[in-house]
Amino acid sequence: DGVTSQQPYSKLILAVGANPIRLAIAGDGSDDIHVVNSLIDYRAFRENLAQRKDKRVVILGAGLIGCEFANDLLHSEYDITVIDLAPQPLGRLLPGHIASAFQQNLEEAGVKFALGTTVEKVSKINNGEDYAITLANGQTLVADLVLSAIGLQPNISLAKSADIQTSRGIITNGLLETNQADIYAIGDCAEVNGTLLPYVMPIMQQARALAKTLSGQQTAVHYPAMPVAVKTPAAPLTVLPAPVDVEVNWETEEFDDGMLAKAIDNEGTLRGFVLLGATAGKQRLTLTKLVPDLIPAQA
């Protein structure tokens, strides 16, 4: 109704999250591409899926979310094709040789990949019952549903309008303070000391620290080494990414059901790791203890 109101505050926390990135794709079917970033999105996706006569789903994005969705839909016997411009899945998280093994495991489970290419057009066919997906490499796929999972964009528009400093996310210091007094940021929107980590464990660390600060006990956020478990049972995977500004060499150990790769810096310190398969996964806790904190605890 156009009516605005003001809400006084003593402390303000921006927990505005992130939105799925949407590609500009041609074709009369592009508006029907699903994104999932909430229970409402997910319900709409599943309801639409249930109405389709066939079980062909095309997923845009071979990152963490795209691969997890692909594995999940396999259990319901869907025909899944994952498309990505990168030459391998999880290209930002995994070294090449592990990415190849991960891809092979998912392919053996039934997932198909179209890599090194992008979607140019999504068109309605068969009276709107199906979609033709035209790829940049000249290939055309037919699907009942298209799901986009190409990543998240932190919501920074509100912060910008309030003259709060932003980069990829809303910039905060170790206390989760923005450059504006008494305004904090937390969650997928927060870029803490230059680091943006849209995962569960970092958000829990932020919440614990900020709760103490707001209760009168000023507490800086502490980021211990926090491995990410990728929910792909067809290829069990745990990743602790090495810091992007650290040069590392990979040392790999192979097992019958997977492999373990350690990211070692120039001083011989373990800075990250990748565990593929159940055997390697058993070393998660042992290895995590050897990796230095991303943001050390404050004394």
Side-chain angles (χ1 to χ4, degrees):
D1 56 8
V3 176
T4 60
S5 63
Q6 291 188 339
Q7 178 68 44
Y9 67 86
S10 55
K11 305 287 183 185
L12 175 65
I13 304 165
L14 296 176
V16 291
N19 277 328
I21 297 168
R22 290 179 180 268
L23 291 175
I25 295 173
D28 61 0
S30 61
D31 288 344
D32 295 349
I33 296 173
H34 283 265
V35 294
V36 174
N37 195 40
S38 69
L39 286 174
I40 295 170
D41 292 340
Y42 185 68
R43 187 179 299 117
F45 171 69
R46 296 303 306 204
E47 286 175 354
N48 198 334
L49 203 55
Q51 294 167 9
R52 299 290 171 169
K53 65 180 190 302
D54 294 311
K55 290 193 163 189
R56 299 161 302 181
V57 178
V58 163
I59 298 175
L60 313 184
L64 197 128
I65 303 300
C67 289
E68 288 184 348
F69 259 111
N71 197 133
D72 186 47
L73 291 168
L74 273 184
H75 292 310
S76 302
E77 298 181 350
Y78 285 92
D79 183 296
I80 309 297
T81 303
V82 181
I83 300 165
D84 202 298
L85 182 59
Q88 292 170 313
L90 297 179
R92 293 179 183 176
L93 285 177
L94 304 181
H97 62 296
I98 300 272
S100 294
F102 176 77
Q103 178 181 338
Q104 184 177 339
N105 286 4
L106 285 183
E107 285 176 335
E108 288 171 357
V111 177
K112 295 189 280 289
F113 287 93
L115 301 171
T117 190
T118 58
V119 175
E120 289 191 337
K121 188 176 179 182
V122 176
S123 308
K124 295 179 183 179
I125 58 173
N126 300 332
N127 297 319
E129 291 188 10
D130 301 310
Y131 299 95
I133 297 97
T134 306
L135 306 184
N137 65 6
Q139 188 179 356
T140 298
L141 305 172
V142 176
D144 299 87
L145 217 62
V146 182
L147 172 67
S148 180
I150 58 169
L152 295 173
Q153 189 89 41
N155 288 322
I156 60 175
S157 56
L158 177 61
K160 278 186 167 181
S161 70
D163 294 326
I164 294 170
Q165 288 179 352
T166 62
S167 179
R168 288 181 303 152
I170 300 170
I171 295 173
T172 82
N173 60 15
L175 291 167
L176 302 170
E177 297 170 322
T178 66
N179 64 304
Q180 299 287 2
D182 298 317
I183 299 180
Y184 303 80
I186 190 172
D188 285 0
C189 67
E191 186 173 334
V192 184
N193 285 344
T195 302
L196 192 65
L197 293 176
Y199 305 114
V200 174
M201 285 301 294
I203 293 171
M204 289 174 67
Q205 295 294 113
Q206 293 170 19
R208 291 183 182 121
L210 187 54
K212 289 180 179 178
T213 295
L214 296 177
S215 299
Q217 180 185 345
Q218 196 171 68
T219 304
V221 69
H222 166 223
Y223 280 173
M226 295 176 286
V228 177
V230 184
K231 302 173 195 70
T232 48
L237 185 68
T238 300
V239 185
L240 180 60
V244 292
D245 57 346
V246 175
E247 187 177 326
V248 296
N249 293 306
W250 289 95
E251 297 180 0
T252 304
E253 184 179 351
E254 298 206 13
F255 303 98
D256 289 339
D257 63 345
M259 57 184 76
L260 179 162
K262 299 176 183 177
I264 310 292
D265 68 15
N266 294 332
E267 296 177 356
T269 302
L270 180 67
R271 303 304 298 268
F273 57 79
V274 179
L275 310 176
L276 178 65
T279 303
K282 292 175 182 175
Q283 299 195 42
R284 170 180 172 156
L285 289 176
T286 304
L287 291 175
T288 301
K289 292 174 183 175
L290 300 175
V291 180
D293 289 354
L294 193 59
I295 298 179
Q298 299 286 314

